[in-house]
Amino acid sequence: MTHAPKEAAGDAVVRKKPWYRQLYVQVLVAIVIGIVLGWRWPDLATSMEPIGTTFITAMKMLIGPIVFLTIIGGVTGVADLKQVGRTGVKALAYFQVGTIVAMAAGLVAINLFRLGDGVHADASRIEVSGEAGSYVETGEHQHWWEFLTHIVPDSVFGAFVEGDILQVIFLAVIFGIALRAVGQVGEPIIAGVNRLTEVVFKVLSFVMKVAPLGAFGAMAYAIGKFGLSTLTSLGSLILLFYVTSILFVVVVLGAVLAAYVRLNIFQLLRYFKEELLLVLGTSTAEPALPGLMRKLEFMGAEKSTVRLVVPTGYSFNLDGAAIYLSLATLYIAQATDTSLSGGQQLGLLAVMLLTSKGAAGVAGGGFIALTATLSTVGHVPAAGIMLVFGIDKFMSECRALVNFCGNAVATLFVARWESGLDLERARRVLSGEIREAEAVAQSVPAQSDPAQGADEQAVTGADVPGARLAEGDGAVPANR
C-alpha cells in the first residue's frame, strides 16, 4: 500500500499520449494546412511569414548557448583530454570523406542526366539583383582559406551575437580544455555548466511547444510566395536533387550504418520522425539539433562523443549541401554552355571542399559557397546562380533533411569507432523495445528518499528536458 502513490506516478509517465498530442502529428498537420493555404490563398499565406521566421529566430537564439554548453560538457566529461583530440580527428576525417562522397554523387547525377544542356543562357545578359546579388557579392570576395582565419572570433561575445556556430565551437573547445586543465578549480564551473544546460533545455521545451505553429507559418509563406507553379519551371532539376539525396541517404548512409554500425537506416529514420518533420516544416536542421543529441544519447551513444560530434557536424558535415553544391555548379556550367573536362570537375570538387566550410552557419551560406566556388575556379560565370535562385526554397528542405541524417549516422559511426556505443541498447531502442517514457518512469527515485522528492516531481510531471535517466550522469531531456 505504501507504494501506491509511486506506482500511480509511474503509470502517469508510461501512459502513451493520444495521437493528436504527439508532436510529429501536430507538425505534419500544420505542414499540410500551410501547403493548402499557400496554394489556395497565396496572399494570406504570404502574410504568415512572421510566424515562421519568429519561431526559427527563437530556435537560433538558443542554438549558440546549446552548442557552447554541450561541447563544454562533452570535453569536460572525458577523463583523458587525448580522447577529445582523437574523437575530433576521427569525426573530421569522417566528415571529409562523407562530403567527398556526397559531392561525387551530385557530379555523377548531373553528368548522367545533363539537365542544363539546351538552356543556352547568356551569362552576360543575366541580371543579378536583390538578395541574390548580395550573396554573389559576398561570395566573390570570399577566399577558400577564409574559414580557417574566420573561425577565431573578434571577441568572446561576438560569436554569440552574430550566431556564428564555427566560432562558438572554437570557443567551447578552448573553454572545455581549459576547465579540464585547471583540475579541481574548474569543478564548480563544470557543475554550473551542467545545471545551466538543463535550464537552456527547459527554455527550449517552451519554444518547442509552438513548433507546429512555426512549421505552418514557414510552409504557408514558402508556397504562397513562390507558388507551386515555380516547381514546373525547373522541376526536373528539383526532382533530380531529391532522387539523388534519397539514394544517398538510403544507399550510402544506409550501407555505412549497416556495414559498420550494424543498424538499420529505416529504423533510424522512423526513430527520428519528429525531428525530420520539424526540419521539413522549417527548412532548417537547427531546430532539430537538441532532439538529435538527446535521442542519440538515449540510444546508447556515449554522451561526450555525441556532444562533440553533433555540434561540429552541423558546420562541417553538410551532406545535403554538398550534393546541392556540386549538382548546381555543373547545372550552371551546362546551362551557360561552359565545357568542363573531367579534370576540371575534380578540381571543382577540391575547391568545394573548402568553400563549403567557409559559409557554414552564415545566412545564404549555400549561395555564398556556390558563388565562392565559381569565382575561385573562374570557368563558370557566378551570375549563373540566378538560374537556380528561384527554386532554392524548394531544395532547402531536402538539403536540411540530408544534413540531419548525415549527422545522425556520423555520430553513431564515430561512437562505434571509439567503442562508445551500446549496440544492443541501440537495437532495442530502434526496434521499440525501450521507450524514453518507460525509462524515465523506471528512474523515478524511491518514495522513501526525501532528498529526491523534488527530482521525482520533475520526472513524473515533466515532459521537457531535465529528467535524468537511471544510471546516467547527465541530463537527458524527456521525449517530446
Side-chain angles (χ1 to χ4, degrees):
M1 296 297 295
T2 57
H3 294 288
K6 169 67 180 299
E7 292 172 358
D11 290 342
V13 176
V14 177
R15 187 179 300 123
K16 189 176 181 179
K17 277 186 171 185
W19 65 270
Y20 55 85
R21 292 190 60 194
Q22 298 287 339
L23 179 63
Y24 77 93
V25 174
Q26 295 174 354
V27 171
L28 182 59
V29 171
I31 291 173
V32 172
I33 295 174
I35 293 174
V36 173
L37 183 66
W39 171 46
R40 300 298 298 173
W41 299 280
D43 292 337
L44 177 61
T46 304
S47 66
M48 299 292 109
E49 180 186 14
I51 299 176
T53 55
T54 301
F55 171 75
I56 295 174
T57 301
M59 290 300 305
K60 289 183 176 181
M61 169 188 72
L62 297 172
I63 292 301
I66 287 173
V67 169
F68 183 74
L69 294 170
T70 53
I71 287 183
I72 289 179
V75 173
T76 56
V78 177
D80 185 4
L81 283 178
K82 291 182 180 179
Q83 183 182 343
V84 175
R86 186 173 66 246
T87 302
V89 170
K90 289 180 178 179
L92 290 175
Y94 176 92
F95 295 162
Q96 287 300 93
V97 173
T99 301
I100 291 174
V101 174
M103 288 181 174
L107 289 178
V108 170
I110 195 64
N111 273 295
L112 282 176
F113 293 94
R114 302 195 63 85
L115 300 180
D117 289 351
V119 176
H120 304 302
D122 185 354
S124 63
R125 302 181 64 179
I126 297 177
E127 183 180 352
V128 181
S129 59
E131 188 178 8
S134 65
Y135 294 154
V136 170
E137 183 178 357
T138 302
E140 287 179 337
H141 292 87
Q142 178 175 296
H143 302 287
W144 62 266
W145 43 261
E146 282 190 0
F147 82 97
L148 293 173
T149 57
H150 181 69
I151 198 172
V152 181
D154 294 331
S155 68
V156 172
F157 300 104
F160 295 93
V161 173
E162 297 177 6
D164 194 313
I165 300 301
L166 278 174
Q167 294 181 350
V168 172
I169 291 172
F170 174 79
L171 288 173
V173 171
I174 297 297
F175 272 80
I177 292 174
L179 284 172
R180 286 288 300 150
V182 297
Q184 291 187 346
V185 175
E187 291 299 325
I189 300 177
I190 295 174
V193 166
N194 291 332
R195 290 183 171 87
L196 187 57
T197 301
E198 293 194 41
V199 174
V200 174
F201 273 120
K202 183 71 173 181
V203 175
L204 174 70
S205 71
F206 298 152
V207 178
M208 286 302 295
K209 289 185 183 298
V210 297
L213 194 61
F216 159 76
M219 187 59 68
Y221 170 75
I223 301 299
K225 174 71 173 178
F226 300 100
L228 292 175
S229 59
T230 308
L231 297 174
T232 60
S233 59
L234 289 171
S236 57
L237 181 60
I238 297 174
L239 179 62
L240 179 61
F241 176 58
Y242 271 74
V243 171
T244 304
S245 298
I246 292 171
L247 289 175
F248 177 83
V249 171
V250 174
V251 177
V252 178
L253 296 184
V256 170
L257 198 64
Y260 186 75
V261 189
R262 304 295 184 183
L263 295 175
N264 185 282
I265 187 67
F266 297 105
Q267 289 183 332
L268 188 72
L269 296 176
R270 182 181 62 189
Y271 180 59
F272 286 112
K273 61 181 180 294
E274 292 182 358
E275 288 72 23
L276 290 171
L277 283 172
L278 184 61
V279 172
L280 176 65
T282 59
S283 300
T284 175
E286 290 178 339
L289 183 148
L292 174 62
M293 296 174 66
R294 182 194 77 235
K295 287 190 173 182
L296 287 171
E297 290 180 24
F298 182 78
M299 281 179 63
E302 193 171 275
K303 181 177 71 173
S304 60
T305 301
V306 171
R307 299 189 175 192
L308 285 171
V309 177
V310 172
T312 308
Y314 262 61
S315 289
F316 286 95
N317 188 43
L318 306 176
D319 293 334
I323 295 173
Y324 167 78
L325 194 58
S326 59
L327 191 148
T329 300
L330 264 294
Y331 175 82
I332 293 171
Q334 294 169 5
T336 55
D337 298 320
T338 304
S339 178
L340 293 176
S341 65
Q344 288 175 319
Q345 291 188 29
L346 291 177
L348 271 174
L349 191 148
V351 172
M352 286 187 286
L353 280 173
L354 297 171
T355 54
S356 61
K357 304 296 187 295
V362 179
F367 273 104
I368 293 173
L370 180 58
T371 307
T373 301
L374 301 182
S375 300
T376 300
V377 176
H379 301 306
V380 186
I385 73 165
M386 291 301 296
L387 298 174
V388 296
F389 185 74
I391 61 170
D392 181 68
K393 176 59 185 173
F394 296 102
M395 303 173 94
S396 60
E397 288 91 351
C398 188
R399 285 200 302 264
L401 287 169
V402 178
N403 291 344
F404 178 89
C405 295
N407 282 309
V409 173
T411 306
L412 292 171
F413 184 95
V414 175
R416 180 71 189 276
W417 195 356
E418 280 285 283
S419 300
L421 176 64
D422 186 342
L423 188 56
E424 181 59 30
R425 177 182 176 84
R427 287 171 176 164
R428 294 179 65 193
V429 169
L430 292 184
S431 66
E433 292 182 35
I434 302 178
R435 300 182 183 275
E436 287 180 278
E438 295 170 1
V440 172
Q442 294 169 3
S443 71
V444 176
Q447 190 81 8
S448 58
D449 186 359
Q452 300 293 330
D455 286 342
E456 175 177 346
Q457 181 180 3
V459 173
T460 58
D463 58 358
V464 292
R468 292 183 179 275
L469 295 183
E471 303 178 0
D473 62 330
V476 180
N479 184 22
R480 287 275 45 85

